[in-house]
Amino acid sequence: VGDLLADKGADIFRMKGVISVSHASQRFVYQGVHMILQGMFDEDHVWGTDEIRQSKLVFIGKNLDKAALTDRFKACLETSEKLAEKIKQLRFKIGDKVQCKTGLDKDAWSTGEVVEFMYRDDSMPPGVLAPYQVELDDGSLIYVPEDAEDIVRAVVNE
């Protein structure tokens, strides 16, 4: 939506809608005028287990290409192919030994093993996946919020 506003914000008079976000039980509700957008996950409106999850988007404006808008939003849909591509781009594989930043001190690194890709639990914000879940050598499980060298790195054999 941010890219859309940057490109077409002056032509969008009003927009509103509900978006079904993968890995979020709540609806994402948004509204906007020109380049001003307000959106949030609605804690009071959770998708029902038997409810069909679908996004509904309304745009009122000028010089808007419905097909182009549809294509831009379809490109955001989660598919098994896109998930497989994200996993393929990760630096580590299941079973790899890694060190994870586990504190504020510069030497606060803990060693463990990658046990899962695209991990999610209920303590995470709606719609968020972590690239890795890691079992530390002490047996505890953590998730790695980002695949970045300053957060997770390969174990260097000494």
Side-chain angles (χ1 to χ4, degrees):
V1 175
D3 289 343
L4 175 63
L5 290 177
D7 294 345
K8 301 294 274 179
D11 291 338
I12 297 173
F13 303 145
R14 178 139 168 69
M15 62 182 161
K16 65 180 183 174
V18 176
I19 300 176
S20 173
V21 176
S22 295
H23 314 290
S25 59
Q26 307 91 345
R27 292 169 169 82
F28 185 83
V29 180
Y30 76 94
Q31 62 179 343
V33 177
H34 293 291
M35 296 179 141
I36 300 170
L37 175 71
Q38 177 185 24
M40 66 179 178
F41 285 98
D42 188 345
E43 299 293 331
D44 296 329
H45 292 93
V46 176
W47 294 102
T49 55
D50 59 344
E51 185 176 9
I52 296 172
R53 292 177 58 137
Q54 60 182 357
S55 298
K56 294 182 182 181
L57 310 147
V58 177
F59 293 91
I60 300 169
K62 65 178 182 176
N63 303 319
L64 300 177
D65 181 341
K66 182 179 179 180
L69 286 171
T70 301
D71 289 346
R72 284 178 94 158
F73 279 95
K74 281 186 176 178
C76 298
L77 294 175
E78 181 179 84
T79 64
S80 56
E81 293 82 14
K82 286 182 185 177
L83 185 61
E85 184 59 33
K86 282 183 181 181
I87 291 171
K88 185 178 174 183
Q89 292 176 9
L90 294 175
R91 294 178 299 142
F92 303 110
K93 305 298 177 221
I94 301 291
D96 283 356
K97 293 291 274 182
V98 294
Q99 288 184 319
C100 301
K101 187 73 170 161
T102 52
L104 297 176
D105 184 87
K106 68 179 180 81
D107 296 322
W109 291 86
S110 300
T111 303
E113 180 179 316
V114 175
V115 294
E116 188 174 335
F117 294 134
M118 300 305 162
Y119 175 75
R120 166 135 190 90
D121 71 32
D122 291 337
S123 70
M124 300 166 80
V128 172
L129 292 177
Y132 307 109
Q133 183 182 41
V134 173
E135 182 176 1
L136 298 178
D137 289 348
D138 68 6
S140 61
L141 292 168
I142 64 168
Y143 67 85
V144 177
E146 183 181 355
D147 187 12
E149 186 69 18
D150 61 336
I151 298 173
V152 61
R153 63 189 184 194
V155 171
V156 179
N157 294 331
E158 301 179 276

